[in-house]
Amino acid sequence: MPSETPSKLAGAAQQGQEKAVQLINDLQDISFTKIGLIIIGTWLAIVVSRKALPYLAERGPSQVRLYLLGSVPIIRLMLLVTAILWVIPIVFNVTFQNFLVIAGAASVAIGFAFKDYVSSLIAGIVAIIERPYRPGDWVKIAGDYGEVRSVGLRAIRIRTPSDDIITVPHDRIWNNNISNANDGSRTLMCVVKFYVAPNHDAARLRSALQDVALTSAYLEYSKPVLVMLSETPWGTLYKLKAYPFDLRDQFGFISDLTVRGKQAIAEAGAVEVSAPAAFNDAE
Amino acid sequence: MPIEQSTVASFKPLGDYKAPSLPAADTLQLLGERLRLLFSKPDDKPFIADDRLHRSTLKMLDEVVAPPACGPLLEELQATLEGWVTQREPLSWLKLIVLPPGDENGVVETWASAQGHEILPPPDRSDLISAAGVELPKLTDEGVLVIPQLERWFLRHRNGLHAVRQLLAELDVTKRHCLVSCNSWAWAFLCKAVGADLILPDALTFEAYDAERLHGWFSQLSEASTHTDLRFRLTQNGEDVMMLKGEDKDAHEYFTRLAARSLGIPWVAWRLWRRSLRSSSDDDEADSEVKAVAQDDGHTLWVSALEEFSLPGGAHNEAALLVLHAILIHGAITLEELRAVLPLVGESNILSALISAGLVERKDRQVTCFPAAYPAIRSGLATAGFSMDKL
């Protein structure tokens, strides 16, 4: 009837308004079993990927090691996003108005209480996309050098050569320089320095040090070997630069070059000099 | 590919080597077979049990699969070089042959001796790192000069490259037919360490031995033996592997697997083949079916599954691979020389473990990689990311 139509419309509008302001679905409509299964399934998948992929990476071919390690945070991010997008419509009444309400409330909470935490979370997502570091990379952040063992949601864990574990929040990428020695490749440049008293045959010694690197058992053939020298107030500085075939051998490679480099210097009739530690660090 | 009696194959440029691989269908079949074995019932027995067989005696093997292990390579080398040797003014005075490791017969040296060419012997390894160095003879005579085993002209030591540099410099200005051979691992090292590929740019290597070539070679060897009516039957199902299959007369798939497992290298395939052959015991209380087969055939040799080699794992894996890499680069090497080229700290028993595992063999004072284990060693080095050879 024509008289009923306006009242029906008004009723429907009121219902819609009520539904819009209702943030959370009715409890009887929320399937907690489903939510529980999603959370457990996601958690299980993340745990399996975090355990299985590094396990395979350490036992599989060296060529795919860094790819496998690097896929762990990407897989975790995708699983989390999928789980969140799945759970939200089950719990919340998703409308534009509700979105604005939730976003406003979340902004206040984040602004006051979880600013640093959320900053790290967002930086973690940026780090996965920009990739300043990946699991397996050797990085130097604020003076700490080591291998990235894991990339978590909030922070990364670095293992230093002295076997210390350092946790670095992702939000360091906003303000700090990140020095990545291999940037996803499976080798990195190793530099060995020798300070030699200036009075020696530099051409002979340069050639001898080149042969030291070329005959190392750890040498990667596809990368160059360089010997650079410069004069310093303490003597002639030789920098022997070469790449090992696997970045995990970097310390063995450096030790090998150092031992045999010292022998080569002695055989070439040169004498090593020691430089002050402060100067060495500055170099 | 049907078997054809083709002309002698010639060597190909380095880089064109195509190691045989298992066809996709065979790979799937193999995977299926492995799965089937994984879930097979205990009564799914092989045609003849391995414990009723014993390894064939050396005498028997030398008759049925006679040495040398290099197969028809001598003919192929001759076919490759005969034109170049007779040219008075060749485009290049230098020829390089690169071969995978394990060539214990010395293909190039044997060819040179048979052709009566002059051979330049390598210097003593102890002289390579001595202060006095190596005195190189003049290379300016007439005729073909053959320098086999370039790997014996250097040590991967900081003082061990002088002799090979000296030799390459001399070769660079020599106007004489010079044939150089080198193992593939040493060649990869020399290209990096002394830029050897700039002086010897056009390296050649043999064409990989696929199933058909292996079948043809091993058939010839067995036909040439004193034993008549020889049959080579798989222990798994009793099939005769020498029988050609289908209208195209393809080689048995055993040879496809053998070619793939041996990477197409004849001396590796030759050893794997010999190590697969078994004789049945004289006092065999075999099943009547097996007995009947043996009697019908006159003489049956049983072909067991191809032998698997595995590298030492755990904490010693890296040291083992470093040792194996050094041995591949240098060929036969003494323990003292091995210590000089390795960064191992302190005393190591790793070599003894490698010998026990059948990966390395000791001959007199020297050690070499066991040729049959070469594919496993190569695979281990590739997996660990070592700088590899190239064929």
Side-chain angles (χ1 to χ4, degrees):
Chain A
M1 300 313 149
S3 60
E4 287 177 7
T5 310
S7 63
K8 272 186 180 175
L9 283 174
Q14 196 181 357
Q15 275 182 352
Q17 230 172 1
E18 282 171 4
K19 201 175 178 186
V21 294
Q22 187 186 2
L23 280 177
I24 299 174
N25 291 327
D26 292 333
L27 282 182
Q28 64 267 29
D29 295 338
I30 297 175
S31 169
F32 289 101
T33 314
K34 194 173 178 184
I35 293 171
L37 285 174
I38 291 170
I39 291 171
I40 290 169
T42 307
W43 174 77
L44 265 178
I46 289 173
V47 168
V48 167
S49 72
R50 281 178 60 182
K51 298 284 180 194
L53 291 172
Y55 179 87
L56 290 174
E58 296 308 322
R59 283 155 188 79
S62 162
Q63 292 83 349
V64 297
R65 174 175 171 266
L66 292 179
Y67 294 110
L68 288 174
L69 290 175
S71 64
V72 175
I74 297 170
I75 289 172
R76 190 192 54 224
L77 179 65
M78 288 168 67
L79 287 168
L80 282 174
V81 168
T82 308
I84 289 168
L85 291 178
W86 202 346
V87 167
I88 280 177
I90 299 173
V91 178
F92 293 102
N93 174 26
V94 182
T95 63
F96 183 67
Q97 290 94 323
N98 286 348
F99 171 75
L100 291 179
V101 171
I102 294 167
S107 302
V108 171
I110 290 165
F112 282 98
F114 301 109
K115 179 172 71 68
D116 291 339
Y117 194 86
V118 173
S119 174
S120 287
L121 290 181
I122 293 170
I125 295 169
V126 171
I128 289 173
I129 296 163
E130 287 189 0
R131 302 205 286 182
Y133 39 69
R134 280 150 283 196
D137 281 357
W138 280 79
V139 296
K140 189 173 185 180
I141 304 174
D144 294 318
Y145 180 66
E147 183 186 21
V148 179
R149 298 300 296 171
S150 65
V151 177
L153 278 176
R154 189 193 66 82
I156 60 171
R157 286 159 69 84
I158 294 175
R159 189 166 73 185
T160 68
S162 342
D163 210 19
D164 295 329
I165 296 291
I166 298 173
T167 304
V168 183
H170 288 300
D171 64 357
R172 289 285 184 90
I173 65 172
W174 303 138
N175 302 313
N176 285 86
N177 293 338
I178 313 291
S179 167
N180 192 324
N182 62 305
D183 195 23
S185 103
R186 61 188 179 88
T187 185
L188 46 73
M189 179 186 274
C190 294
V191 183
V192 181
K193 295 173 189 167
F194 300 99
Y195 286 89
V196 179
N199 190 19
H200 66 276
D201 184 345
R204 182 182 170 196
L205 184 51
R206 190 183 190 192
S207 173
L209 288 176
Q210 175 111 353
D211 280 357
V212 164
L214 286 171
T215 54
S216 174
Y218 298 107
L219 186 70
E220 167 64 47
Y221 293 171
S222 65
K223 296 285 187 179
V225 169
L226 297 168
V227 184
M228 308 177 99
L229 59 158
S230 58
E231 286 301 326
T232 71
W234 292 273
T236 308
L237 169 61
Y238 284 83
K239 288 183 182 173
L240 178 53
K241 301 180 175 183
Y243 294 77
F245 59 78
D246 190 306
L247 49 77
R248 287 169 288 185
D249 293 321
Q250 58 181 300
F251 300 107
F253 186 46
I254 288 172
S255 304
D256 180 45
L257 295 181
T258 305
V259 168
R260 295 186 308 117
K262 282 173 173 288
Q263 292 169 349
I265 289 169
E267 265 184 28
V271 178
E272 281 192 86
V273 293
S274 54
F279 177 79
N280 210 6
D281 290 342
E283 278 290 306
Chain B
M1 284 263 296
I3 291 183
E4 294 169 2
Q5 293 301 321
S6 58
T7 53
V8 177
S10 59
F11 279 38
K12 306 284 181 199
L14 200 66
D16 287 0
Y17 189 86
K18 297 270 189 299
S21 56
L22 288 174
D26 288 55
T27 309
L28 286 174
Q29 196 179 344
L30 270 178
L31 284 173
E33 181 70 13
R34 282 180 188 172
L35 277 175
R36 193 186 66 78
L37 286 174
L38 199 63
F39 299 109
S40 60
K41 293 174 188 170
D43 61 347
D44 193 4
K45 289 185 296 187
F47 190 76
I48 182 168
D50 259 2
D51 56 5
R52 287 220 297 268
L53 305 174
H54 56 79
R55 280 191 190 278
S56 302
T57 61
L58 191 60
K59 181 171 176 286
M60 171 65 145
L61 287 173
D62 282 347
E63 287 173 8
V64 177
V65 193
C70 55
L73 276 190
L74 286 172
E75 287 175 39
E76 294 175 14
L77 187 60
Q78 170 63 10
T80 305
L81 297 175
E82 60 188 351
W84 172 74
V85 165
T86 52
Q87 284 174 2
R88 293 180 65 84
E89 290 283 332
L91 282 174
S92 170
W93 291 102
L94 305 174
K95 278 271 183 213
L96 172 69
I97 303 290
V98 174
L99 299 171
D103 171 27
E104 291 172 355
N105 298 107
V107 174
V108 173
E109 202 167 0
T110 309
W111 171 83
S113 301
Q115 300 296 319
H117 298 310
E118 182 187 347
I119 296 173
L120 183 64
D124 196 290
R125 274 232 171 101
S126 58
D127 294 339
L128 291 175
I129 52 174
S130 70
V134 173
E135 194 171 339
L136 202 64
K138 290 288 174 198
L139 309 179
T140 50
D141 288 347
E142 293 292 314
V144 178
L145 176 68
V146 178
I147 304 170
Q149 297 183 306
L150 194 59
E151 61 269 22
R152 298 204 63 83
W153 284 80
F154 72 90
L155 263 183
R156 195 185 60 186
H157 181 275
R158 60 194 168 78
N159 290 331
L161 300 175
H162 302 306
V164 73
R165 282 192 176 122
Q166 212 180 332
L167 175 69
L168 289 171
E170 194 69 30
L171 287 174
D172 195 27
V173 295
T174 300
K175 290 204 167 184
R176 177 184 180 186
H177 288 85
C178 290
L179 176 69
V180 181
S181 80
C182 186
N183 98 41
S184 54
W185 290 82
W187 181 244
F189 171 74
L190 287 174
C191 290
K192 173 65 183 175
V194 299
D197 51 333
L198 302 176
I199 293 172
L200 299 163
D202 301 318
L204 298 172
T205 192
F206 60 83
E207 195 179 325
Y209 273 67
D210 58 12
E212 279 67 38
R213 296 183 80 194
L214 287 179
H215 176 273
W217 176 26
F218 293 146
S219 297
Q220 280 179 2
L221 291 181
S222 67
E223 283 163 13
S225 76
T226 52
H227 295 269
T228 53
D229 293 335
L230 270 179
R231 293 286 181 274
F232 296 87
R233 292 184 175 275
L234 286 177
T235 53
Q236 194 61 38
N237 53 20
E239 283 182 12
D240 186 345
V241 296
M242 287 298 181
M243 292 290 280
L244 299 175
K245 298 178 94 177
E247 289 181 0
D248 290 339
K249 295 197 179 300
D250 289 330
H252 191 278
E253 60 202 23
Y254 172 84
F255 285 103
T256 311
R257 284 198 286 273
L258 179 61
R261 281 282 308 277
S262 63
L263 308 175
I265 303 167
W267 40 84
V268 175
W270 185 82
R271 279 177 176 78
L272 286 173
W273 173 238
R274 281 170 63 110
R275 290 174 74 88
S276 299
L277 297 182
R278 303 278 187 275
S279 310
S280 50
S281 305
D282 294 336
D283 56 348
D284 191 5
E285 293 176 7
D287 295 341
S288 55
E289 189 184 359
V290 175
K291 254 183 178 172
V293 166
Q295 281 166 2
D296 285 350
D297 287 346
H299 194 101
T300 295
L301 280 177
W302 296 95
V303 183
S304 65
L306 290 169
E307 199 170 356
E308 300 278 352
F309 293 88
S310 55
L311 301 179
H316 302 297
N317 186 45
E318 188 186 337
L321 290 173
L322 284 170
V323 170
L324 292 167
H325 191 236
I327 295 175
L328 285 179
I329 286 177
H330 293 94
I333 189 168
T334 65
L335 293 182
E336 294 74 28
E337 290 157 359
L338 199 55
R339 280 195 199 102
V341 302
L342 281 172
L344 300 180
V345 178
E347 290 298 314
S348 168
N349 297 322
I350 200 72
L351 197 62
S352 307
L354 292 173
I355 292 170
S356 305
L359 300 167
V360 170
E361 55 185 350
R362 199 192 299 262
K363 286 183 180 169
D364 302 327
R365 292 181 56 242
Q366 296 187 317
V367 289
T368 54
C369 284
F370 184 55
Y374 172 65
I377 295 170
R378 191 178 195 284
S379 165
L381 291 171
T383 301
F386 274 73
S387 296
M388 300 295 288
D389 70 333
K390 185 185 165 192
L391 277 180

